Amino acid sequence: MSGVSEEDGMKVVGKRVARVDGGERVTGRAIYSGDLKRPGMVVGKILRSPHAHARILGIDTSRARALKGVLAVITAKDLADLKPGTLYPNADSFADAWVSARTVIARDKVLWRGHAVAAVAAVDEYNARAALQLIEVEYAPLPALIDIETATASGSKPIVAEHAPKGFDTDCPAPRNAGSRTVIARGDTTAAFAEAAIVAEISVAVDTAHHGYLEPHACVAESDADGRLTVWVSTQGVFATEMQLAALLALPQSRIKVIPLEVGGAFGGKITVHVEPLAARLAQLTGRPVKIVTSREEVLQGGSGTGAAARIGVRLAADEAGSLSAIEGRYIVDAGGLPGTPTTLLMQSSAAPYQSANLDLQGWDILTNKPHTESYRGPGGIQAAFAMEQAIDELSLRLGLDPLELRRRNAAYTGTPMPLGMPFPSMPFPEVIACMASHACWREPIAPGSLPRGRGVALGYWRGTSMTSAAHVTIAGDGRPMVTMGAVDLSGTRTAMAQVAAEEFGYAADDVHVATGDSKSVGFTDIAAGSRIARTMTVAVSEACRDAIAQLRRRAAIKLQCKVEDVTYAATAFHSKIGGSIGIADLMRLTLSDGAVIGRGVSTRLPLGVEIGGHVCDVEVDPETGQVTILRYTAFQEVGRALNPTAIEGQIHGSIAQGAGWALTEHLDYAPDGRLRNASLLDYRMPTALDLPKIGVVILETPVPDVPYGVRGVAEMPIIPVAAAIGNAIRRAIGVRMTQMPMTPERVLAAIGNRRP
């Protein structure tokens, strides 16, 4: 349900408008990278390492080059040799260029199984595959360090010699293969724990998982006669892709154009380039368009990033009434084969929902011989909540308190300090918890069954981000607005922006045309990530609309023969205070020869609009098989203002489905040598509609102050509480605390067995 109503004064925003791209998607007319065809196009394929860790002693490509039908063969030597710490122009958007370069292709050393070592372009797929078999790579295998424990063990060798650990000191020396350490601390946790009436703690282990996007990495690259590159791609940001290509190919950005096609899922996994620089270099060498489409096995084994494995310990101190006095957390994150996996956001996500005068949060990343960890929908949030929210639940059991009441007593609210010390802006957690407590999903008893059943609850928090978004609005000859936005549309952004523009102009959403621009047709816009696009693009589009209306108002003043300040705009017409009016369509018809009307809008550094919510979950557990069945699931989320409630519900449903998959079944099963044992969607078990109940969604709306429309981010927070809510429900059902994720039937059975005398 949604709080948007007619009294808000909104005619289009807040309504359940169908997706503007729905028709082309369901009829198969939407164009994805794998669908694109260009004249003279050839096939690109990538040779990948059979070793998880090895030195490259030499690569002989002569036999492959000699094969008929092969047009080009490249290795890392054909791309720029960047140095560690090489930063992109906009370093806030993604990791340093050296990490990107090593992610794309191995240079001197392979860091995971499936790491690219060479690429070919050939006239067809048959010749391309044959060429890969003719490339001879001489490896010197090294011990594979597949998990955090082996990578940090005494005697383990460094995976990346060029990297020096950061942030460690004599009080906390760097473990082997450590990346960087981050500390968030205040108060005196030692004293708080010494004086606490009760202490609850938990240690959890989370396995590596994959984003599970259905569209594998794919792109088409073409180089024209002047050496200018055009790249059609599935990406989360055209400007981010352009920057990375420029650095890795040693080209000025002015010679690269990135055109976004439809995206078949991303969830953070299509920020860093993977195949694009290889296709682009092959296109330059061949003078032909080159298409690379990866297979599912490539994507899962090593041709993409992953969601981070983690080892997390949380300890809580409280008084007899349940008031938290200290939170201590240790967050060790698996970075994969390259450094640069930040822990700051997951640490904040863990502690932010609760007030505590004393904090000691420390996080660091550990390098392992697995694909480099990349952002995955609220990066680290689900792992952190799996520990923190289960520790809160354990504290409620020891205190004999209702778990939602314990959260109410400790919930952060507007003005309380964030983990980093600044006061929270609009932070209506108490209202969210009150809504949860009054809802039937919490008040009604669990339906009885023949197997043990339990109800779990968990809160979620995600800080989100702002960065920069740009849009422009061109007024058509009939007065209708045409919006060009700089953001890639991952989840219905075009529909929401059509609603915003329609609201500003007084049109219906169907009257507005919205398109995503390429990197040469619209202003710089950061990546579509961090739950930022709807809120920041809303500001950019509304600003662009108001700019266009201001330009039109000046024209209307001339036609109405009055001062500009005497002209108002409403319902697609301009009105003079001294009498007379003119519709926008007539105004454009009469003034078209006066030049184009193009409104411009840019949004950057918006006030923080944190994402908060809570989930309630009922499960049934079969103690004989360990099977966990979700019976009922209800999500509560504060969204600021719901631009389109249907789209928001879809985001929340998708997040919960992803979270439930990682919570119960999804993990990348690596053998000790780094081989992935479940490199297909048959064996990498994602949930289907048959595995999930109907999901209830309650939308709460407290607009963010001083932001047009008051929108909060939506997409990331709903995944964060899922595993914890399920884990807490399992604990209430069978009295066993699950500390490994995913909570597979085998692990549930093992936990039950460990409990038995």
Side-chain angles (χ1 to χ4, degrees):
M1 64 183 184
S2 172
V4 169
S5 60
E6 290 297 333
E7 55 263 27
D8 290 297
M10 300 289 180
K11 305 294 186 184
V12 187
V13 165
K15 304 303 181 284
R16 295 181 179 274
V17 174
R19 285 183 63 142
V20 298
D21 57 338
E24 64 181 24
R25 287 181 182 271
V26 299
T27 58
R29 288 179 292 172
I31 302 298
Y32 296 84
S33 298
D35 300 324
L36 187 67
K37 294 180 174 63
R38 298 289 297 167
M41 189 169 70
V42 298
V43 175
K45 289 291 177 185
I46 300 169
L47 181 67
R48 300 185 180 278
S49 169
H51 304 286
H53 196 195
R55 296 195 180 281
I56 301 173
L57 302 181
I59 303 177
D60 184 353
T61 63
S62 58
R63 293 175 62 211
R65 293 176 190 275
L67 183 67
K68 184 178 179 180
V70 173
L71 304 177
V73 182
I74 62 172
T75 65
K77 293 180 180 179
D78 294 286
L79 300 180
D81 186 9
L82 303 175
K83 304 302 179 186
T86 303
L87 297 179
Y88 290 108
N90 183 23
D92 290 339
S93 290
F94 37 87
D96 74 44
W98 179 84
V99 171
S100 295
R102 292 304 193 276
T103 299
V104 169
I105 193 166
R107 185 183 292 269
D108 304 325
K109 192 179 186 185
V110 296
L111 303 175
W112 55 83
R113 185 165 176 144
H115 203 170
V117 295
V120 305
V123 294
D124 56 31
E125 187 158 336
Y126 173 81
N127 281 275
R129 291 187 182 278
L132 294 184
Q133 295 177 2
L134 296 176
I135 298 174
E136 298 176 7
V137 184
E138 184 181 359
Y139 296 101
L142 298 167
L145 308 175
I146 298 303
D147 55 35
I148 291 171
E149 289 74 20
T150 55
T152 56
S154 175
S156 62
K157 301 298 182 183
I159 292 173
V160 177
E162 298 94 329
H163 173 75
K166 301 175 183 177
F168 295 91
D169 53 33
T170 53
D171 292 333
C172 182
R176 292 178 182 273
N177 286 300
S180 60
R181 171 175 170 250
T182 301
V183 177
I184 299 174
R186 66 168 177 253
D188 186 344
T189 54
T190 301
F193 278 105
E195 298 167 2
I198 189 166
V199 173
E201 61 184 305
I202 190 172
S203 295
V204 303
V206 180
D207 292 349
T208 305
H210 195 268
H211 308 73
Y213 37 79
L214 294 183
E215 178 201 24
H217 291 268
C219 77
V220 175
E222 184 174 327
S223 181
D224 67 17
D226 295 325
R228 297 181 186 276
L229 275 172
T230 301
V231 182
W232 294 264
V233 67
S234 172
T235 178
Q236 289 183 242
V238 294
F239 294 96
T241 297
E242 182 181 275
M243 286 181 191
Q244 292 174 86
L245 287 171
L248 273 57
L249 300 173
L251 283 176
Q253 285 181 237
S254 61
R255 299 184 69 81
I256 303 170
K257 179 165 71 173
V258 178
I259 301 175
L261 299 180
E262 298 294 346
V263 181
F267 315 113
K270 294 179 180 176
I271 298 171
T272 299
V273 292
H274 288 272
V275 300
E276 296 85 351
L278 304 179
R281 182 62 85 207
L282 289 169
Q284 289 177 315
L285 294 174
T286 62
R288 305 268 291 273
V290 175
K291 177 192 281 188
I292 295 179
V293 179
T294 55
S295 68
R296 181 65 56 192
E297 182 177 357
E298 282 183 282
V299 168
L300 292 174
Q301 174 67 74
S304 69
T306 64
R311 308 291 183 264
I312 299 174
V314 170
R315 194 160 65 119
L316 308 176
D319 62 19
E320 296 88 344
S323 179
L324 290 174
S325 57
I327 302 173
E328 180 183 271
R330 297 295 180 266
Y331 309 83
I332 306 172
V333 176
D334 188 334
L338 289 161
T341 300
T343 56
T344 304
L345 288 178
L346 72 93
M347 292 158 62
Q348 293 181 60
S349 174
S350 177
Y354 303 105
Q355 303 175 59
S356 177
N358 303 289
L359 291 180
D360 178 10
L361 312 177
Q362 300 186 35
W364 54 88
D365 58 324
I366 300 295
L367 277 67
T368 63
N369 290 124
K370 296 203 287 285
H372 184 222
T373 292
E374 295 180 11
S375 295
Y376 177 8
R377 201 167 201 160
I382 188 172
Q383 300 96 310
F386 185 61
M388 182 67 180
E389 290 297 309
Q390 288 204 92
I392 290 285
D393 193 64
E394 198 61 36
L395 185 63
S396 75
L397 286 167
R398 296 187 185 186
L399 289 165
L401 266 180
D402 176 274
L404 201 52
E405 172 60 19
L406 177 62
R407 288 169 169 83
R408 185 196 66 78
R409 294 182 186 184
N410 290 284
Y413 54 87
T414 303
T416 58
M418 302 169 70
L420 296 181
M422 305 85 76
F424 267 117
S426 176
M427 180 63 160
F429 245 138
E431 291 82 353
V432 172
I433 294 171
C435 184
M436 295 170 70
S438 64
H439 194 276
C441 72
W442 188 253
R443 289 186 292 102
E444 294 175 355
I446 303 175
S450 59
L451 297 174
R453 295 183 172 190
R455 174 169 294 162
V457 63
L459 299 185
Y461 166 94
W462 193 247
R463 188 180 187 278
T465 188
S466 175
M467 298 195 283
T468 297
S469 292
H472 61 258
V473 175
T474 304
I475 306 303
D478 65 356
R480 288 174 171 80
M482 301 179 293
V483 178
T484 302
M485 61 181 191
V488 174
D489 185 352
L490 299 179
S491 56
T493 307
R494 281 169 289 188
T495 305
M497 294 310 105
Q499 291 179 258
V500 171
E503 193 70 55
E504 293 288 330
F505 279 93
Y507 280 110
D510 288 346
D511 289 320
V512 180
H513 177 269
V514 182
T516 296
D518 60 53
S519 64
K520 293 294 177 280
S521 66
V522 69
F524 174 80
T525 297
D526 277 301
I527 53 177
S531 300
R532 64 171 218 90
I533 289 300
R535 66 188 303 260
T536 62
M537 195 54 69
T538 293
V539 175
V541 169
S542 63
E543 183 179 294
C545 291
R546 293 167 192 180
D547 182 21
I549 290 170
Q551 295 175 47
L552 290 166
R553 182 179 286 111
R554 290 192 289 272
R555 295 188 183 191
I558 295 172
K559 295 299 179 184
L560 295 172
Q561 299 182 355
C562 65
K563 296 179 181 179
V564 173
E565 54 266 31
D566 290 334
V567 177
T568 59
Y569 178 79
T572 73
F574 291 91
H575 307 275
S576 169
K577 293 180 181 178
I578 61 175
S581 64
I582 185 169
I584 189 172
D586 289 336
L587 180 63
M588 283 302 297
R589 179 175 54 81
L590 294 171
T591 65
L592 199 57
S593 61
D594 293 346
V597 176
I598 304 174
R600 293 174 173 82
V602 176
S603 163
T604 189
R605 296 183 176 86
L606 292 181
L608 188 62
V610 298
E611 299 175 55
I612 58 174
H615 292 185
V616 177
C617 173
D618 293 352
V619 304
E620 180 177 82
V621 183
D622 187 335
E624 298 301 319
T625 66
Q627 180 68 37
V628 177
T629 302
I630 302 174
L631 303 172
R632 182 178 184 177
Y633 205 101
T634 309
F636 301 77
Q637 185 149 344
E638 170 57 66
V639 304
R641 181 182 292 279
L643 296 176
N644 185 325
T646 300
I648 287 173
E649 289 165 356
Q651 283 277 31
I652 294 172
H653 287 170
S655 276
I656 291 168
Q658 279 189 305
W662 201 348
L664 295 174
T665 59
E666 291 185 46
H667 68 132
L668 294 169
D669 183 15
Y670 293 98
D673 64 355
R675 176 178 54 87
L676 185 61
R677 291 184 282 217
N678 58 340
S680 73
L681 293 187
L682 177 64
D683 299 312
Y684 183 83
R685 179 74 167 82
M686 296 195 297
T688 68
L690 299 177
D691 299 307
L692 298 169
K694 183 177 180 180
I695 297 168
V697 175
V698 179
I699 297 173
L700 295 92
E701 296 179 83
T702 306
V704 179
D706 304 319
V707 175
Y709 292 90
V711 177
R712 297 179 191 270
V714 170
E716 292 175 292
M717 199 298 298
I719 197 175
I720 289 170
V722 178
I726 295 172
N728 288 337
I730 293 171
R731 171 68 176 84
R732 302 282 173 158
I734 59 173
V736 170
R737 178 65 66 191
M738 298 302 299
T739 60
Q740 288 181 284
M741 176 179 146
M743 296 171 281
T744 60
E746 295 86 352
R747 288 173 173 172
V748 173
L749 277 179
I752 292 172
N754 291 337
R755 184 195 62 180
R756 290 170 178 162

